[in-house]
Amino acid sequence: LDYPWMKNVPDNTLISSLTIPGTHDSGTKKAGTGYSMCQHFTIEEQLYAGIRFFDVRLNEDLELCHADDGCEVYFDQVLTWMNNFLDSHPTEMLIMRVKQEKGSISGRLRDFFNDHSDLVKYVSRKETLPSKLGDARKSIVMLREFPRPEENKEWGVDITSGWPHDCAGTLTTPKNEKIYIEDRYYSTSEAIHDTNEKQRLVRERMEDANANTSIYHLIFTSIATRAVTGPYDYAWGGNTCDNPMNPWLS
């Protein structure tokens, strides 16, 4: 994939009509345990591989984390990587889901944005989704999954209510914008984590997205850990998974 691939897409293209590659638990390359590590590349490396959607989960220290496991990378480093990338590739647009994963992050983020204007210069805190690519180039569209830090101020697209957990469904933002989400990840307590079923669900949702390009679709292909089989195994095969997601998807 040519990493500044959006340069070839016309400005008037609906963002909802694009297939935008992204990663789940994007910052977990250095997560504390093998089962928390969902990525083998840093966010910086992912940017240059063509990834444009990032799932950023934070603890109260603004460290990226997966549940209780810290990832040895902090929010300021993520924004530094993204800013450097956008400075060099202004044709690109990034989407960043920022989720409160552990502890309370709203106050810390309020202070961070107030104290680090240089780092947040490309972060869009608009509460509505951009429509066309030309309106969003050289910006970071923030999907907010943490309590609003300040009243009467925009703090990104509000996705704090209505996320379909371990299933699929439509999230409607307070601005009445709809995002269809496929997030069947299989609870760790389930006896079977079925990649055949997950592939069917992903295929159906991709067909739906292709047929209805007027709304955003967010489709996760990731599967949770079960026994000895971790996210990497479900993605690429091994440890009882003989029908992994990524080779099928490619």
Side-chain angles (χ1 to χ4, degrees), residues 9-42:
V9 182
D11 280 348
N12 63 355
T13 303
L14 290 175
I15 296 171
S16 55
S17 73
L18 295 173
T19 300
I20 299 175
T23 51
H24 158 258
D25 263 305
S26 302
T28 56
K29 179 181 180 179
K30 293 185 177 181
T33 67
Y35 295 149
S36 287
M37 185 180 67
C38 300
Q39 303 300 329
H40 277 222
F41 296 96
T42 67

PDB file of all heavy atoms in Angstrom, residues 9-42:
ATOM      1  N   VAL A   9      -7.146  10.361  -4.004  1.00  0.00           N
ATOM      2  CA  VAL A   9      -8.600  10.373  -3.859  1.00  0.00           C
ATOM      3  C   VAL A   9      -9.101  11.813  -3.999  1.00  0.00           C
ATOM      4  O   VAL A   9      -8.596  12.706  -3.315  1.00  0.00           O
ATOM      5  CB  VAL A   9      -9.012   9.795  -2.491  1.00  0.00           C
ATOM      6  CG1 VAL A   9     -10.532   9.763  -2.356  1.00  0.00           C
ATOM      7  CG2 VAL A   9      -8.433   8.389  -2.307  1.00  0.00           C
ATOM      8  N   PRO A  10     -10.080  12.075  -4.868  1.00  0.00           N
ATOM      9  CA  PRO A  10     -10.576  13.439  -5.067  1.00  0.00           C
ATOM     10  C   PRO A  10     -11.156  14.052  -3.795  1.00  0.00           C
ATOM     11  O   PRO A  10     -11.703  13.345  -2.939  1.00  0.00           O
ATOM     12  CB  PRO A  10     -11.666  13.266  -6.139  1.00  0.00           C
ATOM     13  CG  PRO A  10     -11.316  11.997  -6.844  1.00  0.00           C
ATOM     14  CD  PRO A  10     -10.703  11.111  -5.807  1.00  0.00           C
ATOM     15  N   ASP A  11     -11.052  15.368  -3.681  1.00  0.00           N
ATOM     16  CA  ASP A  11     -11.535  16.085  -2.509  1.00  0.00           C
ATOM     17  C   ASP A  11     -13.023  15.873  -2.251  1.00  0.00           C
ATOM     18  O   ASP A  11     -13.467  15.885  -1.098  1.00  0.00           O
ATOM     19  CB  ASP A  11     -11.279  17.593  -2.656  1.00  0.00           C
ATOM     20  CG  ASP A  11      -9.849  17.977  -2.335  1.00  0.00           C
ATOM     21  OD1 ASP A  11      -9.111  17.142  -1.786  1.00  0.00           O
ATOM     22  OD2 ASP A  11      -9.479  19.124  -2.649  1.00  0.00           O
ATOM     23  N   ASN A  12     -13.822  15.726  -3.299  1.00  0.00           N
ATOM     24  CA  ASN A  12     -15.274  15.640  -3.120  1.00  0.00           C
ATOM     25  C   ASN A  12     -15.764  14.224  -2.803  1.00  0.00           C
ATOM     26  O   ASN A  12     -16.962  13.968  -2.780  1.00  0.00           O
ATOM     27  CB  ASN A  12     -16.002  16.176  -4.348  1.00  0.00           C
ATOM     28  CG  ASN A  12     -15.716  15.357  -5.601  1.00  0.00           C
ATOM     29  OD1 ASN A  12     -14.897  14.442  -5.575  1.00  0.00           O
ATOM     30  ND2 ASN A  12     -16.399  15.687  -6.694  1.00  0.00           N
ATOM     31  N   THR A  13     -14.843  13.301  -2.531  1.00  0.00           N
ATOM     32  CA  THR A  13     -15.218  11.927  -2.191  1.00  0.00           C
ATOM     33  C   THR A  13     -15.797  11.857  -0.786  1.00  0.00           C
ATOM     34  O   THR A  13     -15.219  12.393   0.163  1.00  0.00           O
ATOM     35  CB  THR A  13     -13.986  11.001  -2.277  1.00  0.00           C
ATOM     36  OG1 THR A  13     -13.428  11.075  -3.597  1.00  0.00           O
ATOM     37  CG2 THR A  13     -14.365   9.570  -1.967  1.00  0.00           C
ATOM     38  N   LEU A  14     -16.938  11.203  -0.634  1.00  0.00           N
ATOM     39  CA  LEU A  14     -17.508  10.987   0.684  1.00  0.00           C
ATOM     40  C   LEU A  14     -16.582  10.073   1.493  1.00  0.00           C
ATOM     41  O   LEU A  14     -16.194   8.999   1.022  1.00  0.00           O
ATOM     42  CB  LEU A  14     -18.884  10.341   0.581  1.00  0.00           C
ATOM     43  CG  LEU A  14     -20.029  11.197   0.037  1.00  0.00           C
ATOM     44  CD1 LEU A  14     -21.285  10.353  -0.109  1.00  0.00           C
ATOM     45  CD2 LEU A  14     -20.298  12.390   0.949  1.00  0.00           C
ATOM     46  N   ILE A  15     -16.243  10.504   2.699  1.00  0.00           N
ATOM     47  CA  ILE A  15     -15.399   9.680   3.555  1.00  0.00           C
ATOM     48  C   ILE A  15     -16.082   8.351   3.847  1.00  0.00           C
ATOM     49  O   ILE A  15     -15.437   7.296   3.916  1.00  0.00           O
ATOM     50  CB  ILE A  15     -15.057  10.429   4.846  1.00  0.00           C
ATOM     51  CG1 ILE A  15     -14.228  11.680   4.528  1.00  0.00           C
ATOM     52  CG2 ILE A  15     -14.305   9.534   5.829  1.00  0.00           C
ATOM     53  CD1 ILE A  15     -14.024  12.597   5.705  1.00  0.00           C
ATOM     54  N   SER A  16     -17.388   8.380   3.985  1.00  0.00           N
ATOM     55  CA  SER A  16     -18.137   7.161   4.277  1.00  0.00           C
ATOM     56  C   SER A  16     -18.124   6.174   3.117  1.00  0.00           C
ATOM     57  O   SER A  16     -18.505   5.015   3.286  1.00  0.00           O
ATOM     58  CB  SER A  16     -19.585   7.506   4.642  1.00  0.00           C
ATOM     59  OG  SER A  16     -20.191   8.277   3.619  1.00  0.00           O
ATOM     60  N   SER A  17     -17.677   6.604   1.940  1.00  0.00           N
ATOM     61  CA  SER A  17     -17.597   5.691   0.794  1.00  0.00           C
ATOM     62  C   SER A  17     -16.221   5.035   0.667  1.00  0.00           C
ATOM     63  O   SER A  17     -16.039   4.158  -0.181  1.00  0.00           O
ATOM     64  CB  SER A  17     -17.917   6.442  -0.509  1.00  0.00           C
ATOM     65  OG  SER A  17     -16.853   7.311  -0.878  1.00  0.00           O
ATOM     66  N   LEU A  18     -15.266   5.459   1.497  1.00  0.00           N
ATOM     67  CA  LEU A  18     -13.919   4.923   1.428  1.00  0.00           C
ATOM     68  C   LEU A  18     -13.764   3.695   2.325  1.00  0.00           C
ATOM     69  O   LEU A  18     -14.383   3.607   3.390  1.00  0.00           O
ATOM     70  CB  LEU A  18     -12.899   5.979   1.870  1.00  0.00           C
ATOM     71  CG  LEU A  18     -12.767   7.225   1.003  1.00  0.00           C
ATOM     72  CD1 LEU A  18     -11.845   8.230   1.682  1.00  0.00           C
ATOM     73  CD2 LEU A  18     -12.217   6.853  -0.369  1.00  0.00           C
ATOM     74  N   THR A  19     -12.921   2.777   1.908  1.00  0.00           N
ATOM     75  CA  THR A  19     -12.485   1.697   2.786  1.00  0.00           C
ATOM     76  C   THR A  19     -11.193   2.151   3.444  1.00  0.00           C
ATOM     77  O   THR A  19     -10.143   2.203   2.804  1.00  0.00           O
ATOM     78  CB  THR A  19     -12.254   0.396   2.003  1.00  0.00           C
ATOM     79  OG1 THR A  19     -13.480   0.016   1.367  1.00  0.00           O
ATOM     80  CG2 THR A  19     -11.799  -0.719   2.929  1.00  0.00           C
ATOM     81  N   ILE A  20     -11.275   2.512   4.711  1.00  0.00           N
ATOM     82  CA  ILE A  20     -10.148   3.102   5.438  1.00  0.00           C
ATOM     83  C   ILE A  20      -9.566   2.049   6.371  1.00  0.00           C
ATOM     84  O   ILE A  20     -10.230   1.618   7.327  1.00  0.00           O
ATOM     85  CB  ILE A  20     -10.602   4.335   6.242  1.00  0.00           C
ATOM     86  CG1 ILE A  20     -11.148   5.409   5.277  1.00  0.00           C
ATOM     87  CG2 ILE A  20      -9.459   4.896   7.083  1.00  0.00           C
ATOM     88  CD1 ILE A  20     -11.736   6.616   5.983  1.00  0.00           C
ATOM     89  N   PRO A  21      -8.349   1.589   6.132  1.00  0.00           N
ATOM     90  CA  PRO A  21      -7.779   0.553   7.008  1.00  0.00           C
ATOM     91  C   PRO A  21      -7.463   1.101   8.400  1.00  0.00           C
ATOM     92  O   PRO A  21      -7.003   2.240   8.547  1.00  0.00           O
ATOM     93  CB  PRO A  21      -6.497   0.133   6.275  1.00  0.00           C
ATOM     94  CG  PRO A  21      -6.150   1.301   5.407  1.00  0.00           C
ATOM     95  CD  PRO A  21      -7.438   1.964   5.037  1.00  0.00           C
ATOM     96  N   GLY A  22      -7.745   0.270   9.405  1.00  0.00           N
ATOM     97  CA  GLY A  22      -7.490   0.680  10.782  1.00  0.00           C
ATOM     98  C   GLY A  22      -7.040  -0.493  11.620  1.00  0.00           C
ATOM     99  O   GLY A  22      -7.007  -1.634  11.163  1.00  0.00           O
ATOM    100  N   THR A  23      -6.703  -0.209  12.880  1.00  0.00           N
ATOM    101  CA  THR A  23      -6.255  -1.257  13.793  1.00  0.00           C
ATOM    102  C   THR A  23      -7.006  -1.187  15.117  1.00  0.00           C
ATOM    103  O   THR A  23      -7.405  -0.110  15.569  1.00  0.00           O
ATOM    104  CB  THR A  23      -4.740  -1.173  14.065  1.00  0.00           C
ATOM    105  OG1 THR A  23      -4.393   0.166  14.464  1.00  0.00           O
ATOM    106  CG2 THR A  23      -3.947  -1.550  12.826  1.00  0.00           C
ATOM    107  N   HIS A  24      -7.177  -2.351  15.715  1.00  0.00           N
ATOM    108  CA  HIS A  24      -7.823  -2.499  17.022  1.00  0.00           C
ATOM    109  C   HIS A  24      -6.752  -2.460  18.108  1.00  0.00           C
ATOM    110  O   HIS A  24      -5.682  -3.044  17.958  1.00  0.00           O
ATOM    111  CB  HIS A  24      -8.569  -3.841  17.043  1.00  0.00           C
ATOM    112  CG  HIS A  24      -8.827  -4.388  18.397  1.00  0.00           C
ATOM    113  ND1 HIS A  24      -8.083  -5.411  18.941  1.00  0.00           N
ATOM    114  CD2 HIS A  24      -9.751  -4.063  19.328  1.00  0.00           C
ATOM    115  CE1 HIS A  24      -8.533  -5.705  20.138  1.00  0.00           C
ATOM    116  NE2 HIS A  24      -9.547  -4.897  20.409  1.00  0.00           N
ATOM    117  N   ASP A  25      -7.019  -1.711  19.195  1.00  0.00           N
ATOM    118  CA  ASP A  25      -6.018  -1.548  20.256  1.00  0.00           C
ATOM    119  C   ASP A  25      -4.670  -1.209  19.632  1.00  0.00           C
ATOM    120  O   ASP A  25      -3.677  -1.930  19.771  1.00  0.00           O
ATOM    121  CB  ASP A  25      -5.925  -2.818  21.114  1.00  0.00           C
ATOM    122  CG  ASP A  25      -6.756  -2.725  22.383  1.00  0.00           C
ATOM    123  OD1 ASP A  25      -6.543  -1.764  23.147  1.00  0.00           O
ATOM    124  OD2 ASP A  25      -7.613  -3.592  22.613  1.00  0.00           O
ATOM    125  N   SER A  26      -4.646  -0.061  18.982  1.00  0.00           N
ATOM    126  CA  SER A  26      -3.552   0.275  18.054  1.00  0.00           C
ATOM    127  C   SER A  26      -2.191   0.385  18.724  1.00  0.00           C
ATOM    128  O   SER A  26      -1.163   0.147  18.075  1.00  0.00           O
ATOM    129  CB  SER A  26      -3.867   1.594  17.344  1.00  0.00           C
ATOM    130  OG  SER A  26      -5.088   1.504  16.655  1.00  0.00           O
ATOM    131  N   GLY A  27      -2.155   0.750  19.998  1.00  0.00           N
ATOM    132  CA  GLY A  27      -0.871   1.037  20.640  1.00  0.00           C
ATOM    133  C   GLY A  27      -0.312  -0.060  21.503  1.00  0.00           C
ATOM    134  O   GLY A  27       0.507   0.209  22.389  1.00  0.00           O
ATOM    135  N   THR A  28      -0.686  -1.300  21.257  1.00  0.00           N
ATOM    136  CA  THR A  28      -0.367  -2.376  22.205  1.00  0.00           C
ATOM    137  C   THR A  28       0.874  -3.191  21.852  1.00  0.00           C
ATOM    138  O   THR A  28       1.050  -4.298  22.391  1.00  0.00           O
ATOM    139  CB  THR A  28      -1.568  -3.333  22.361  1.00  0.00           C
ATOM    140  OG1 THR A  28      -1.931  -3.833  21.053  1.00  0.00           O
ATOM    141  CG2 THR A  28      -2.749  -2.630  22.968  1.00  0.00           C
ATOM    142  N   LYS A  29       1.744  -2.679  20.999  1.00  0.00           N
ATOM    143  CA  LYS A  29       2.938  -3.453  20.641  1.00  0.00           C
ATOM    144  C   LYS A  29       3.750  -3.843  21.877  1.00  0.00           C
ATOM    145  O   LYS A  29       4.311  -4.949  21.945  1.00  0.00           O
ATOM    146  CB  LYS A  29       3.822  -2.667  19.680  1.00  0.00           C
ATOM    147  CG  LYS A  29       5.101  -3.400  19.294  1.00  0.00           C
ATOM    148  CD  LYS A  29       5.988  -2.609  18.347  1.00  0.00           C
ATOM    149  CE  LYS A  29       7.252  -3.390  18.003  1.00  0.00           C
ATOM    150  NZ  LYS A  29       8.138  -2.661  17.063  1.00  0.00           N
ATOM    151  N   LYS A  30       3.809  -2.969  22.878  1.00  0.00           N
ATOM    152  CA  LYS A  30       4.596  -3.244  24.078  1.00  0.00           C
ATOM    153  C   LYS A  30       3.706  -3.476  25.300  1.00  0.00           C
ATOM    154  O   LYS A  30       4.120  -3.214  26.431  1.00  0.00           O
ATOM    155  CB  LYS A  30       5.566  -2.098  24.349  1.00  0.00           C
ATOM    156  CG  LYS A  30       6.657  -1.956  23.295  1.00  0.00           C
ATOM    157  CD  LYS A  30       7.652  -0.871  23.682  1.00  0.00           C
ATOM    158  CE  LYS A  30       8.778  -0.769  22.666  1.00  0.00           C
ATOM    159  NZ  LYS A  30       9.778   0.262  23.041  1.00  0.00           N
ATOM    160  N   ALA A  31       2.509  -3.992  25.068  1.00  0.00           N
ATOM    161  CA  ALA A  31       1.619  -4.297  26.191  1.00  0.00           C
ATOM    162  C   ALA A  31       2.237  -5.359  27.082  1.00  0.00           C
ATOM    163  O   ALA A  31       3.054  -6.178  26.647  1.00  0.00           O
ATOM    164  CB  ALA A  31       0.262  -4.750  25.674  1.00  0.00           C
ATOM    165  N   GLY A  32       1.807  -5.394  28.326  1.00  0.00           N
ATOM    166  CA  GLY A  32       2.486  -6.207  29.328  1.00  0.00           C
ATOM    167  C   GLY A  32       2.425  -7.692  29.117  1.00  0.00           C
ATOM    168  O   GLY A  32       3.326  -8.423  29.512  1.00  0.00           O
ATOM    169  N   THR A  33       1.358  -8.217  28.503  1.00  0.00           N
ATOM    170  CA  THR A  33       1.246  -9.659  28.309  1.00  0.00           C
ATOM    171  C   THR A  33       0.975  -9.958  26.852  1.00  0.00           C
ATOM    172  O   THR A  33       0.519  -9.110  26.095  1.00  0.00           O
ATOM    173  CB  THR A  33       0.093 -10.245  29.145  1.00  0.00           C
ATOM    174  OG1 THR A  33      -1.156  -9.758  28.634  1.00  0.00           O
ATOM    175  CG2 THR A  33       0.221  -9.862  30.602  1.00  0.00           C
ATOM    176  N   GLY A  34       1.242 -11.182  26.465  1.00  0.00           N
ATOM    177  CA  GLY A  34       1.027 -11.581  25.085  1.00  0.00           C
ATOM    178  C   GLY A  34      -0.412 -11.436  24.646  1.00  0.00           C
ATOM    179  O   GLY A  34      -0.693 -11.107  23.492  1.00  0.00           O
ATOM    180  N   TYR A  35      -1.356 -11.678  25.577  1.00  0.00           N
ATOM    181  CA  TYR A  35      -2.758 -11.606  25.203  1.00  0.00           C
ATOM    182  C   TYR A  35      -3.267 -10.170  25.130  1.00  0.00           C
ATOM    183  O   TYR A  35      -4.302  -9.908  24.520  1.00  0.00           O
ATOM    184  CB  TYR A  35      -3.607 -12.422  26.182  1.00  0.00           C
ATOM    185  CG  TYR A  35      -3.299 -13.899  26.119  1.00  0.00           C
ATOM    186  CD1 TYR A  35      -3.416 -14.701  27.250  1.00  0.00           C
ATOM    187  CD2 TYR A  35      -2.879 -14.498  24.932  1.00  0.00           C
ATOM    188  CE1 TYR A  35      -3.127 -16.064  27.195  1.00  0.00           C
ATOM    189  CE2 TYR A  35      -2.584 -15.855  24.866  1.00  0.00           C
ATOM    190  CZ  TYR A  35      -2.705 -16.627  25.992  1.00  0.00           C
ATOM    191  OH  TYR A  35      -2.418 -17.964  25.932  1.00  0.00           O
ATOM    192  N   SER A  36      -2.567  -9.239  25.740  1.00  0.00           N
ATOM    193  CA  SER A  36      -2.930  -7.832  25.602  1.00  0.00           C
ATOM    194  C   SER A  36      -2.291  -7.200  24.371  1.00  0.00           C
ATOM    195  O   SER A  36      -2.723  -6.152  23.918  1.00  0.00           O
ATOM    196  CB  SER A  36      -2.507  -7.040  26.848  1.00  0.00           C
ATOM    197  OG  SER A  36      -3.350  -7.335  27.939  1.00  0.00           O
ATOM    198  N   MET A  37      -1.264  -7.827  23.857  1.00  0.00           N
ATOM    199  CA  MET A  37      -0.564  -7.283  22.694  1.00  0.00           C
ATOM    200  C   MET A  37      -1.331  -7.654  21.419  1.00  0.00           C
ATOM    201  O   MET A  37      -1.297  -8.793  20.964  1.00  0.00           O
ATOM    202  CB  MET A  37       0.860  -7.833  22.610  1.00  0.00           C
ATOM    203  CG  MET A  37       1.680  -7.219  21.484  1.00  0.00           C
ATOM    204  SD  MET A  37       3.366  -7.890  21.400  1.00  0.00           S
ATOM    205  CE  MET A  37       3.043  -9.587  20.916  1.00  0.00           C
ATOM    206  N   CYS A  38      -2.025  -6.688  20.868  1.00  0.00           N
ATOM    207  CA  CYS A  38      -2.835  -6.920  19.664  1.00  0.00           C
ATOM    208  C   CYS A  38      -2.126  -6.465  18.396  1.00  0.00           C
ATOM    209  O   CYS A  38      -2.619  -6.737  17.289  1.00  0.00           O
ATOM    210  CB  CYS A  38      -4.159  -6.179  19.783  1.00  0.00           C
ATOM    211  SG  CYS A  38      -5.158  -6.682  21.202  1.00  0.00           S
ATOM    212  N   GLN A  39      -1.004  -5.748  18.503  1.00  0.00           N
ATOM    213  CA  GLN A  39      -0.295  -5.234  17.336  1.00  0.00           C
ATOM    214  C   GLN A  39       1.197  -5.546  17.438  1.00  0.00           C
ATOM    215  O   GLN A  39       1.760  -5.526  18.530  1.00  0.00           O
ATOM    216  CB  GLN A  39      -0.482  -3.711  17.196  1.00  0.00           C
ATOM    217  CG  GLN A  39      -1.930  -3.261  17.105  1.00  0.00           C
ATOM    218  CD  GLN A  39      -2.659  -3.848  15.927  1.00  0.00           C
ATOM    219  OE1 GLN A  39      -2.062  -4.111  14.872  1.00  0.00           O
ATOM    220  NE2 GLN A  39      -3.963  -4.058  16.074  1.00  0.00           N
ATOM    221  N   HIS A  40       1.804  -5.789  16.291  1.00  0.00           N
ATOM    222  CA  HIS A  40       3.243  -6.025  16.222  1.00  0.00           C
ATOM    223  C   HIS A  40       3.990  -4.824  15.654  1.00  0.00           C
ATOM    224  O   HIS A  40       5.198  -4.894  15.456  1.00  0.00           O
ATOM    225  CB  HIS A  40       3.537  -7.276  15.386  1.00  0.00           C
ATOM    226  CG  HIS A  40       3.418  -8.550  16.169  1.00  0.00           C
ATOM    227  ND1 HIS A  40       4.307  -9.588  16.048  1.00  0.00           N
ATOM    228  CD2 HIS A  40       2.533  -8.944  17.116  1.00  0.00           C
ATOM    229  CE1 HIS A  40       3.955 -10.568  16.860  1.00  0.00           C
ATOM    230  NE2 HIS A  40       2.889 -10.201  17.514  1.00  0.00           N
ATOM    231  N   PHE A  41       3.262  -3.734  15.400  1.00  0.00           N
ATOM    232  CA  PHE A  41       3.879  -2.518  14.882  1.00  0.00           C
ATOM    233  C   PHE A  41       3.435  -1.333  15.731  1.00  0.00           C
ATOM    234  O   PHE A  41       2.310  -1.308  16.239  1.00  0.00           O
ATOM    235  CB  PHE A  41       3.488  -2.281  13.416  1.00  0.00           C
ATOM    236  CG  PHE A  41       3.970  -3.347  12.475  1.00  0.00           C
ATOM    237  CD1 PHE A  41       3.147  -4.392  12.109  1.00  0.00           C
ATOM    238  CD2 PHE A  41       5.264  -3.316  11.972  1.00  0.00           C
ATOM    239  CE1 PHE A  41       3.586  -5.392  11.258  1.00  0.00           C
ATOM    240  CE2 PHE A  41       5.717  -4.304  11.117  1.00  0.00           C
ATOM    241  CZ  PHE A  41       4.876  -5.347  10.759  1.00  0.00           C
ATOM    242  N   THR A  42       4.315  -0.356  15.877  1.00  0.00           N
ATOM    243  CA  THR A  42       3.948   0.860  16.588  1.00  0.00           C
ATOM    244  C   THR A  42       2.963   1.662  15.750  1.00  0.00           C
ATOM    245  O   THR A  42       2.793   1.425  14.547  1.00  0.00           O
ATOM    246  CB  THR A  42       5.178   1.735  16.861  1.00  0.00           C
ATOM    247  OG1 THR A  42       5.692   2.218  15.604  1.00  0.00           O
ATOM    248  CG2 THR A  42       6.258   0.971  17.608  1.00  0.00           C
TER     249      THR A  42
END
